[in-house]
Amino acid sequence: MNQHVILGLWPIAGVTTVGVTRENAIATIHAAVDAGIRQFDTAYSYGLQGEADERLGAVLRELDPGLREEMHLIGKVGQRYDENGVRVNDGRPETLVLDAENSLRRIGIRCFDTLMLHCVDEEVPVEASAWALQRLVQRGMAKRVGLCNATEEQRAAFATVVPCEAIQCPLNGLQQDTLQTVIADAKDNQCDVWVYWTLMKGLLAGKISRDHVFAEGDSRPSYPIFQGEARQRAHDIVDQLTVLAADHKRSVANLSISWAVSQPGVTAALVGAHRPEQIADFANAGPLPKPLRREVNRIFATSNESVAE
């Protein structure tokens, strides 16, 4: 069982990932279970019609009850689609409750192990959103709650209403700003820290070439790190990681994720996949031995002013 990796189900929803099929999505979740992954991250807004929830539920119904009990299911509310099909933040208490109820129904479960506020709604006090999540805990629909994509100040305000027991934030070797901010704060406050973008949309998996042309509809070219000099610097780093990974009989993806979960305060990495064969790249990722971590740090230091040893 790997407690350092969480399968993130955003790619399986098929909104920004091209070519996703329900068959492959379900096979991917099964492959993760077979590989020892026991934590799964979904959200009300993962799919225009809740595809991630539905596909997770389909797999859960096929599992042996004893195996099902080992699963830690993370849900998120606070984002939904408006009438134009645009994903928007909505932290109103009544919306959070409704979306949590619907998400649970789509999955076919009664309670999330962890339920999180997906994003702070700037039009709604974070304390009001936290109150709604507290009510869901009291109703037995979540065992504990947390907060994603928030500042230290927002986490503190949330925690005045209900304990914030987990956060989600971005972290990868190319983008390390959160180490000294929200991750350090969460560590001080004994929150679980689940980091995403550990592979930076596949760039740190070592599978995207310098001249790769993305399919129409793929959202990745809109990210600054996939543009111009930033992308070329990233490829320079991936080239070095490729050599190091081969020397240690690892994949570049495994090395990148293992670096992330080696950082102080990080509990686990959220990693996405939408094909079963992708699971093998990261299923056994975990904290790196200190000498190897230092080697990876030196490589990443070429794009960061400072890197935690």
Side-chain angles (χ1 to χ4, degrees):
M1 185 184 303
N2 189 336
Q3 295 298 321
H4 300 291
V5 173
I6 301 167
L7 184 66
L9 301 186
W10 170 245
I12 280 171
V15 178
T16 58
T17 304
V18 178
V20 177
T21 67
R22 185 176 187 274
E23 180 182 24
N24 265 352
I26 289 174
T28 300
I29 299 172
H30 272 299
V33 174
D34 292 344
I37 293 173
R38 297 291 182 265
Q39 301 177 93
F40 296 87
D41 174 83
T42 186
Y44 177 78
S45 63
Y46 282 6
L48 295 173
Q49 302 297 326
E51 283 84 350
D53 283 350
E54 185 276 327
R55 291 162 184 180
L56 175 61
V59 172
L60 293 176
R61 287 190 292 275
E62 296 175 359
L63 297 182
D64 176 87
L67 183 56
R68 167 63 185 87
E69 287 300 313
E70 296 179 8
M71 303 298 157
H72 186 106
L73 304 181
I74 303 162
K76 299 191 292 294
V77 290
Q79 283 190 348
R80 53 175 26 232
Y81 293 93
D82 65 14
E83 61 277 8
N84 298 313
V86 176
R87 199 159 56 140
V88 297
N89 296 337
D90 189 339
R92 293 174 295 171
E94 61 272 24
T95 305
L96 299 180
V97 171
L98 178 64
D99 290 355
E101 291 172 343
N102 284 332
S103 196
L104 287 168
R105 187 178 304 113
R106 292 189 304 213
I107 300 170
I109 59 175
R110 295 182 178 180
C111 178
F112 284 110
D113 295 291
T114 304
L115 181 63
M116 310 189 81
L117 180 64
H118 205 151
C119 268
V120 174
D121 183 347
E122 298 298 338
E123 303 298 320
V124 177
V126 68
E127 295 90 342
S129 299
W131 176 85
L133 267 61
Q134 180 188 45
R135 290 288 298 138
L136 290 165
V137 171
Q138 292 170 344
R139 290 175 57 189
M141 299 169 69
K143 295 178 183 178
R144 61 178 198 159
V145 298
L147 183 61
C148 309
N149 307 310
T151 65
E152 305 99 294
E153 293 76 17
Q154 289 168 333
R155 186 211 57 77
F158 183 98
T160 63
V161 177
V162 61
C164 181
E165 299 196 54
I167 68 162
Q168 291 186 10
C169 66
L171 176 69
N172 60 69
L174 302 173
Q175 301 166 316
Q176 300 185 26
D177 293 349
T178 54
L179 278 174
Q180 305 305 322
T181 54
V182 292
I183 292 176
D185 173 75
K187 179 175 178 288
D188 289 343
N189 287 278
Q190 299 181 317
C191 279
D192 279 336
V193 175
W194 298 325
V195 295
Y196 60 87
W197 287 0
T198 50
L199 295 179
M200 196 51 241
K201 301 290 184 177
L203 188 56
L204 286 173
K207 303 278 180 75
I208 299 174
S209 66
R210 292 176 186 268
D211 58 356
H212 178 82
V213 177
F214 293 96
E216 184 177 351
D218 195 314
S219 65
R220 286 175 289 185
S222 65
Y223 289 84
I225 202 164
F226 282 93
Q227 300 169 11
E229 291 184 7
R231 180 169 174 179
Q232 295 311 313
R233 285 196 301 272
H235 281 295
D236 291 342
I237 287 170
V238 171
D239 288 346
Q240 296 178 66
L241 290 175
T242 300
V243 174
L244 183 62
D247 289 344
H248 290 269
K249 296 180 171 55
R250 294 172 177 255
S251 68
V252 176
N254 182 288
L255 202 60
S256 299
I257 297 165
S258 294
W259 174 87
V261 300
S262 298
Q263 302 311 302
V266 173
T267 310
L270 289 145
V271 188
H274 66 279
R275 298 191 308 274
E277 62 268 23
Q278 294 173 313
I279 299 297
D281 263 354
F282 57 79
N284 65 344
L288 294 170
K290 195 168 184 178
L292 180 54
R293 186 166 75 245
R294 285 176 172 163
E295 291 186 68
V296 179
N297 283 343
R298 280 194 288 272
I299 292 172
F300 282 140
T302 61
S303 67
N304 294 276
E305 292 183 359
S306 61
V307 180
E309 284 283 316

